[in-house]
Amino acid sequence: MSVLRLILGDQLSHSISSLEGCDISKDIVLMSEVWDEATYVKHHKKKIAFLFSAMRHFAKELEQYNYKVEYTKLDDENNANSFRGEVNRALKKNVINRIIITHPGEYRVLKDMLGWEKEFGIPVEIKADTRFLSTLENFADWTVGRKQLRMEYFYREIRKKYSILMEDSGPVGGQWNYDAENRKPPRDGLNIPSPYSNEIDDITKDVIDLVKNIFPDHFGDLEPFYFAVTRDQALQALELFVEKRLSHFGDYQDAMIEGEPWMYHSHIGFYLNCGLLLPLECAMAAENAYHQKKVPLNAAEGFIRQIIGWREYVRGIYWLKMPEYAKENFFDAKRDLPNFYWTANTKMNCLRQSVMETKENAYAHHIQRLMVLGNFTLLAGIDPKQVNEWFLTVYADAYEWVELPNVSGMVLFADGGYLASKPYAAGGNYIDKMSDYCKKCSYKVKKKNGSDACPFNYLYWDFLARNRQKLQNNYRVGMMYKIYDRMDDNKKQTISNDSQFFLESIK
Ligand code: FAD
Ligand code: DLZ
Ligand code: SF4
């Protein structure tokens, strides 16, 4: 009798809870490339290649440690094409009396797994995912009795609990948050270091061929392929970030420069989310660099906050609010996602650059996702379901637990303010301040109306006007209505006409 231990594509950590207590002389570790997962949204080609290659490398490592691994490749003729089907096949082949799994990252997968005990007639143990710093129970407890959830307070708790950037009983430097020193506009002459890249080996070559043949109609460029696909490589990518980029991470966190997709960000989200890196080790790498005086406090604190604050916080909200969260649509937005989110065929330079880079790299940094790609979908009133599907499809770090709260909560305010205190709506000014996109745009960012005015400018006011009932009592937005109310009727009508004309043109 042995135990079947299932490892999913985003559970590629040697410390994963499903391997705890594994008897390597008889337990079976099951890993499967399955059609269902590769197509529940039509993931970017690079994401599928990355994950399959990382899975194959991880399985090989487990075999080197003498685990009994059963690995199904996507094109294996017996592939059952779903997790459930693959488990069923393994149970028929082996004498198994128990299944152990680590809690999956997505609700739809958990829902399916909860039916397995009944279907297979043996115990199915779903263990907590201990790679996160906060348990789902701790997060739920933290929310009790709070009128408003705010990431900042949650983040402080985690810092205290893990004693990260703490001295005596307070934060290092006397402040919890150094954002006021961050977010400088890009300046000329920045010498942005090259990102991590790696030679591809035979495993990755095979996977690239497979993706080329099987998923030709999926979005995105498969090659060149440069991601890390093993833990050792991911650790090198982390080290490279800490050595070369972290010192400027805070300063240029919001900066965007045409032709510079990687800026001073870490590009480790893909590795963290599939388990090649662990959140605590990333936070500690940044803390050590600060203590060794290699990076300033605003950079280390800013980076650490993203990982131990935002990342944990959105996961807590996802599991607290699913499945309802996926249906939220506070503004009742109904418009279809414009086709240029797939083709980059738009005269709006900020959007064109961000979509092009997304297509090339399965990556865009946070501010492109939030203030350009996301902001536009909010202002244009795009259906949250379609926006979520796009974000889940195109990024190599996208899994629903982290994508959905960022899109429906942070960007679209579709949850009515559960995650964020106000919508991140903005006109063209912010993009102009933080990027060089507007200089090369067909539209004029300083113009508020007319056919050559930046569409963000009138869409911003039109969005506020359209959603007045729902927003005017929000204390952080109320001020903008005072400004809107001071505009004369002519101006208001022009805003509405320009918006209607523009929105018709992107159908
Ligand atoms: P860095 O900017 O270097 O930040 C370091 C790490 O902090 C990231 O790797 C990530 O693990 C974490 N982090 C930073 N911001 C967030 C955040 N808001 N929420 C959760 N973790 C955060 N992140 C994903 O991991 N997957 C997604 O599918 C995803 N979708 C997003 C969609 C939208 C609309 C927005 C606005 C944000 C989204 N994010 C998502 C958050 C963030 O944009 C990415 O984590 C980040 O851009 C990844 O690049 P990086 O590794 O260079 O991150
Ligand atoms: C994203 C993804 C893809 C594309 N393919 C697989 C796969 O073939 N096999 C697998 O185990 N996992 C894959 N994944 C990751 C899963 O979608 C992820 O584990 C679940 O969504 C739970 O978070
Ligand atoms: Fe984007 Fe407007 Fe600037 Fe053009 S002018 S790049 S549309 S913000």
Side-chain angles (χ1 to χ4, degrees):
M1 285 290 191
S2 55
V3 177
L4 183 69
R5 298 170 183 271
L6 177 63
I7 295 195
L8 309 183
D10 54 356
Q11 299 181 339
L12 309 181
S13 315
H14 289 281
S15 58
I16 193 81
S17 58
S18 55
L19 288 182
E20 277 165 19
C22 180
D23 181 343
I24 55 170
S25 69
K26 52 184 188 169
D27 290 354
I28 308 284
V29 177
L30 177 65
M31 296 179 67
S32 309
E33 296 166 11
V34 292
W35 184 255
D36 273 11
E37 293 307 304
T39 58
Y40 74 94
V41 293
K42 292 177 87 172
H43 302 283
H44 194 299
K45 292 191 194 87
K46 220 173 221 133
K47 176 181 184 182
I48 302 180
F50 161 63
L51 215 61
F52 285 6
S53 177
M55 285 173 69
R56 290 183 188 193
H57 281 94
F58 186 75
K60 206 169 136 199
E61 282 174 18
L62 290 181
E63 278 165 355
Q64 281 161 359
Y65 286 114
N66 296 322
Y67 285 90
K68 289 185 194 310
V69 182
E70 287 193 3
Y71 191 97
T72 315
K73 293 183 176 170
L74 191 76
D75 50 1
D76 282 353
E77 57 179 359
N78 296 321
N79 193 322
N81 291 323
S82 67
F83 290 143
R84 184 183 276 249
E86 280 294 288
V87 168
N88 194 26
R89 227 159 55 82
L91 294 181
K92 287 195 172 132
K93 266 203 302 191
N94 303 285
V95 184
I96 304 282
N97 64 347
R98 185 180 186 77
I99 299 170
I100 297 186
I101 317 163
T102 292
H103 195 289
E106 301 197 346
Y107 180 85
R108 79 191 154 82
V109 179
L110 177 67
K111 198 170 156 211
D112 188 50
M113 286 174 170
L114 290 174
W116 289 6
E117 212 162 77
K118 193 160 170 227
E119 168 149 356
F120 301 129
I122 53 173
V124 176
E125 186 183 347
I126 301 180
K127 293 184 153 203
D129 190 340
T130 50
R131 296 171 300 174
F132 288 92
L133 279 71
S134 171
T135 66
L136 299 178
E137 293 74 26
N138 286 155
F139 186 84
D141 288 349
W142 175 78
T143 63
V144 173
R146 288 174 193 270
K147 273 200 203 130
Q148 275 200 318
L149 302 187
R150 289 296 161 251
M151 193 289 296
E152 180 65 27
Y153 297 112
F154 171 74
Y155 160 62
R156 292 179 190 181
E157 296 296 319
I158 300 266
R159 264 189 58 191
K160 282 190 256 178
K161 184 167 167 194
Y162 285 87
S163 196
I164 298 172
L165 285 181
M166 298 293 291
E167 57 190 359
D168 305 324
S169 61
V172 165
Q175 273 171 240
W176 289 101
N177 181 318
Y178 287 85
D179 251 2
E181 294 172 32
N182 289 351
R183 313 211 153 129
K184 296 188 173 59
R187 60 174 166 77
D188 287 343
L190 280 179
N191 192 6
I192 299 161
S194 307
Y196 175 86
S197 73
N198 191 45
E199 293 281 302
I200 53 174
D201 64 6
D202 288 343
I203 293 182
T204 304
K205 265 189 209 130
D206 283 352
V207 160
I208 288 176
D209 287 343
L210 178 131
V211 173
K212 215 179 269 174
N213 290 330
I214 301 192
F215 304 105
D217 59 332
H218 282 218
F219 173 78
D221 299 351
L222 182 54
E223 293 172 290
F225 185 92
Y226 30 69
F227 289 156
V229 289
T230 66
R231 171 156 169 82
D232 282 349
Q233 291 169 2
L235 282 168
Q236 286 166 27
L238 172 65
E239 194 181 318
L240 189 74
F241 163 68
V242 172
E243 291 294 322
K244 305 273 187 207
R245 305 180 118 79
L246 176 58
S247 54
H248 283 334
F249 176 86
D251 287 356
Y252 298 113
Q253 208 173 335
D254 279 14
M256 298 174 280
I257 301 178
E258 189 167 320
E260 295 288 356
W262 309 102
M263 293 302 294
Y264 292 97
H265 291 267
S266 65
H267 336 126
I268 58 161
F270 343 107
Y271 311 133
L272 267 170
N273 293 353
C274 77
L276 294 181
L277 293 177
L278 300 172
L280 194 55
E281 71 190 351
C282 297
M284 288 180 67
E287 183 180 17
N288 289 339
Y290 165 71
H291 287 308
Q292 289 163 9
K293 301 193 175 4
K294 289 182 181 166
V295 302
L297 185 52
N298 69 314
E301 188 280 318
F303 176 71
I304 287 171
R305 177 160 21 92
Q306 307 311 313
I307 294 190
I308 70 167
W310 277 111
R311 187 170 183 272
E312 299 281 330
Y313 177 75
V314 299
R315 175 177 183 255
I317 289 191
Y318 176 79
W319 285 106
L320 202 61
K321 296 304 243 181
M322 280 301 281
E324 297 75 23
Y325 209 72
K327 297 183 201 122
E328 301 274 19
N329 189 356
F330 181 66
F331 294 123
D332 201 20
K334 292 196 176 80
R335 191 173 298 281
D336 287 336
L337 187 76
N339 200 37
F340 64 70
Y341 271 72
W342 303 108
T343 61
N345 186 12
T346 166
K347 289 195 298 170
M348 298 173 79
N349 193 35
C350 52
L351 280 164
R352 185 169 65 232
Q353 297 301 327
S354 301
V355 173
M356 268 169 25
E357 290 175 1
T358 299
K359 182 171 165 289
E360 280 163 23
N361 303 316
Y363 176 84
H365 65 71
H366 184 67
I367 211 66
Q368 292 175 304
R369 297 189 205 194
L370 180 66
M371 298 311 292
V372 178
L373 296 157
N375 184 24
F376 183 82
T377 60
L378 169 74
L379 300 187
I382 312 292
D383 172 10
K385 221 168 162 338
Q386 296 186 35
V387 183
N388 274 295
E389 183 165 336
W390 187 84
F391 275 101
L392 196 53
T393 300
V394 303
Y395 294 117
D397 54 34
Y399 298 87
E400 196 185 57
W401 67 266
V402 53
E403 173 277 330
L404 179 66
N406 270 294
V407 171
S408 277
M410 194 182 298
V411 164
L412 296 179
F413 206 71
D415 62 0
Y418 191 74
L419 183 142
S421 53
K422 76 169 190 55
Y424 272 89
N429 263 350
Y430 190 74
I431 295 173
D432 188 33
K433 181 175 157 212
M434 298 313 295
S435 79
D436 63 354
Y437 292 149
C438 302
K439 289 193 188 91
K440 297 173 195 159
C441 187
S442 312
Y443 295 105
K444 296 189 170 57
V445 72
K446 301 286 178 221
K447 275 196 76 177
K448 306 294 177 211
N449 286 103
S451 60
D452 60 347
C454 167
F456 279 103
N457 290 341
Y458 46 78
L459 288 176
Y460 172 79
W461 290 112
D462 190 57
F463 162 78
L464 287 183
R466 278 196 327 262
N467 296 297
R468 183 168 198 133
Q469 290 303 321
K470 293 179 174 155
L471 283 177
Q472 67 184 354
N473 293 329
N474 179 309
Y475 72 104
R476 296 190 65 195
V477 188
M479 182 62 200
M480 300 316 292
Y481 284 104
K482 292 201 175 108
I483 299 177
Y484 180 77
D485 289 341
R486 284 201 292 270
M487 294 177 190
D488 62 35
D489 287 349
N490 230 346
K491 170 86 180 162
K492 287 179 186 160
Q493 193 55 52
T494 311
I495 286 170
S496 171
N497 293 348
D498 283 349
S499 299
Q500 255 182 11
F501 186 78
F502 177 82
L503 291 172
E504 281 295 311
S505 77
I506 59 163
K507 267 186 179 167

